[in-house]
Amino acid sequence: MIVHWHRRDLRASDNRGLARALATGEPVVPLFVLDPTVLEHASPIRVACLLEALDDLRTWYRDRGSDLLVARGEASAVVPAVAATYDAGTVVWNEDYSGLARERDRAVRAALEDGGIAVDTVHDAIHHEPGSITPNQGDHYAVFSYFWKKWRDRDKREPVDAPDAGDLADVTGDPIPSLAALGFDEPDATPQTVTTTAARERVAAFCSGPIYRYADDRDYPAAGGTSRLSPHLKWGTIGPRELYAATERAARRAEATDDRESVRAFQRQLAWREFYAHVLAFNPAIVTENFDGYEHEIEWRDDPDELEAWKAGETGYPIVDAGMRQLRTTGWMHNRVRMLVASFLTKDLLLDWRVGYDWFRRLLADHDTANDVGGWQWASSTGTDAQPYFRVFNPMKQGREYDPDAEYIRTHVPELADASADEIHGWHDLEPEQRERAAPGYPAPIVDHAERRERAIELFERARGESSE
């Protein structure tokens, strides 16, 4: 027999590691390990999504006379034990790129090899593995536009088939533990369904129409113009090749050049995910350290009250608060708004991007280390290809431009339901009595954007050694 160790590839179709195991001709034993070292870094909403995806995958295997073995314990002990139980000569898994995952995998590999069991690893989560798209000098690109030009022109592999029933081992697993059994409370938010069926339904719906408007709609949070596929890409309930093939079919169906360009705009976002995966693979320390080194340490402020106001969506900046409340209630946030709230934390509140990253890691159902670290460091002007430190998002202007009717804001900030769009977007300029009349339950702005913008620029100039002082 041969073991396929599922991790962030919770699907049977378009799974290159599983296909590699099938190619041996040996019956495949599917395995997932609930590793306490990994779960230490998890959160209720992500574990809830994980358990839902596991249950769905287990059903798929059981419908074909097999089962998904779900075991608890340190992977370096569990994986060799399962391999020994089923007399498996090889364990196959798909690569992951975070420092935590690679540390775990090194320990598992060492334990397996000590027991005389072979290891076979496959690149599956992204189209082009780290080290395959490089500049003339160096191991990875630090500027996305150069990476994108090569990524878009590289051939993409075709999706691989799911196993047939006869390819799978006749095994029976124990019940999947509950959230409570794993030590987690029920999440406050209700995330979207994370299963392969749900992912395929979402891909089909998106590629049947919204993808042709994506370039125009994607920045408007009330438009519903994004794919909402990020939780599925996080957990691997859809394969990257299957998704890309669906977008290519959509491009061939496009009736106008603008439609095809809109498909390309979506594919560009897929490339951003891979760009950040490459960066993380070669720079694992960026989870806690600035990618862009500064001559001096950035003098981040420490203000618990302002941080709590940001977390609660009580800053008095409507578009920021709408995003933070959407995060708390749904476990997801629109990407344009993610940039805005990250900019607000780091440039208006002058708080360390790492505290914002930690909050997102706790509440996002789609938290992906590479993507989230990349996004936070971009917004805070410390990362690869980052927003220049002197360009600071104006939350009022952004709200007026991307939510002109305040539809998104009113959805998530009900205190503003009766305020006009002009009052909402001009909230910072209203007199106290005007605010009281428009929305008595909504706070005044906690900081002055213009003043904090100047302080942010000074802060970064000092860190870069550019201050005139």
Side-chain angles (χ1 to χ4, degrees):
M1 292 189 184
I2 186 168
V3 173
H4 174 69
W5 177 21
H6 283 279
R7 293 109 67 79
R8 283 181 50 185
D9 56 332
L10 303 183
R11 64 185 184 278
S13 298
D14 192 25
N15 186 320
R16 296 189 67 233
L18 184 56
R20 179 74 64 84
L22 296 172
T24 66
E26 297 286 335
V28 176
V29 178
L31 170 67
F32 186 89
V33 180
L34 292 161
D35 188 325
T37 303
V38 176
L39 290 175
E40 284 177 8
H41 299 269
S43 67
I45 193 166
R46 293 208 310 283
V47 177
C49 291
L50 165 64
L51 295 180
E52 180 178 49
L54 285 175
D55 186 65
D56 181 64
L57 182 58
R58 161 168 278 185
T59 297
W60 190 94
Y61 279 119
R62 285 182 168 178
D63 286 346
R64 287 152 183 82
S66 185
D67 205 348
L68 175 66
L69 305 183
V70 178
R72 296 178 66 178
E74 295 286 344
S76 58
V78 171
V79 177
V82 170
T85 296
Y86 292 96
D87 196 24
T90 303
V91 176
V92 181
W93 68 75
N94 290 314
E95 291 276 9
D96 204 346
Y97 305 110
S98 72
L100 176 65
R102 289 190 159 186
E103 181 178 347
R104 172 201 60 195
D105 293 353
R106 282 192 293 269
V108 174
R109 179 186 290 273
L112 287 168
E113 291 177 348
D114 284 348
I117 300 168
V119 172
D120 191 0
T121 63
V122 183
H123 290 282
D124 169 82
I126 56 180
H127 290 281
H128 309 294
E129 56 266 27
S132 65
I133 298 180
T134 60
N136 292 333
Q137 294 181 341
D139 45 26
H140 69 90
Y141 280 105
V143 177
F144 173 73
S145 58
Y146 299 138
F147 177 88
W148 161 243
K149 289 176 182 177
K150 289 189 176 180
W151 187 93
R152 72 184 181 190
D153 294 335
R154 292 282 178 92
D155 290 338
K156 305 292 186 288
R157 296 184 179 95
E158 293 297 318
V160 294
D161 294 333
D164 295 324
D167 298 322
L168 303 170
D170 182 6
V171 296
T172 301
D174 294 328
I176 297 174
S178 65
L179 265 177
L182 293 172
F184 292 91
D185 296 328
E186 289 292 328
D188 294 331
T190 302
Q192 67 190 66
T193 300
V194 184
T195 64
T196 293
T197 298
R200 286 176 165 168
E201 289 173 351
R202 195 166 285 276
V203 170
F206 181 65
C207 289
S208 68
I211 196 170
Y212 301 123
R213 302 184 296 275
Y214 178 79
D216 293 329
D217 290 352
R218 67 188 179 93
D219 280 324
Y220 296 87
T226 61
S227 72
R228 295 294 298 269
L229 285 166
S230 54
H232 297 289
L233 292 171
K234 153 65 179 180
W235 293 110
T237 50
I238 190 89
R241 292 154 297 277
E242 182 175 341
L243 173 56
Y244 187 81
T247 66
E248 285 289 277
R249 290 192 297 272
R252 290 193 292 271
R253 293 193 303 268
E255 298 178 356
T257 300
D258 286 349
D259 292 346
R260 286 189 291 274
E261 288 302 313
S262 189
V263 175
R264 183 67 84 178
F266 178 72
Q267 292 176 338
R268 195 171 188 268
Q269 296 306 306
L270 299 179
W272 265 110
R273 296 182 67 87
E274 296 206 9
F275 171 70
Y276 284 140
H278 285 223
V279 172
L280 179 65
F282 287 103
N283 304 274
I286 62 170
V287 177
T288 56
E289 298 176 8
N290 296 331
F291 177 87
D292 185 0
Y294 285 82
E295 186 174 335
H296 309 290
E297 288 291 326
I298 299 174
E299 301 166 6
W300 301 112
R301 296 173 62 251
D302 180 15
D303 191 315
D305 290 339
E306 289 185 4
L307 176 60
E308 287 306 310
W310 178 82
K311 289 179 177 179
E314 295 283 351
T315 68
Y317 284 88
I319 190 76
V320 172
D321 294 339
M324 296 306 296
R325 297 190 195 188
Q326 182 183 36
L327 173 63
R328 292 182 76 118
T329 57
T330 70
W332 185 84
M333 190 192 301
H334 186 277
N335 188 59
R336 163 62 59 173
V337 187
R338 294 190 197 202
M339 292 190 291
L340 298 182
V341 302
S343 176
F344 189 85
L345 180 82
T346 57
K347 304 295 178 61
D348 286 73
L349 303 185
L350 309 177
L351 299 176
D352 194 328
W353 65 266
R354 281 158 283 223
V355 300
Y357 168 77
D358 284 344
W359 187 245
F360 271 34
R361 181 170 60 86
R362 176 177 168 183
L363 296 187
L364 280 174
D366 64 5
H367 166 72
D368 174 273
T369 300
N371 209 44
D372 282 357
V373 166
W376 271 99
Q377 293 223 38
W378 181 91
S380 64
S381 304
T382 63
T384 57
D385 212 7
Q387 171 91 327
Y389 71 90
F390 48 82
R391 292 182 184 168
V392 179
F393 280 126
N394 182 318
M396 298 83 70
K397 181 180 178 181
Q398 291 282 316
R400 193 178 296 277
E401 182 171 356
Y402 294 108
D403 191 28
D405 298 326
E407 180 182 352
Y408 171 77
I409 291 170
R410 291 194 190 92
T411 297
H412 297 287
V413 187
E415 303 97 301
L416 294 170
D418 295 328
S420 70
D422 284 342
E423 288 171 327
I424 290 170
H425 297 311
W427 192 254
H428 59 293
D429 286 331
L430 298 183
E431 296 296 331
E433 57 271 20
Q434 292 176 303
R435 294 192 190 109
E436 181 65 21
R437 285 196 300 270
Y442 186 65
I446 63 172
V447 297
D448 180 276
H449 169 73
E451 184 270 332
R452 287 295 178 91
R453 176 184 180 277
E454 294 303 317
R455 286 182 61 181
I457 292 173
E458 291 172 3
L459 179 148
F460 277 86
E461 286 179 344
R462 287 196 299 272
R464 296 174 68 89
E466 298 176 0
S467 176
S468 58
E469 296 179 3

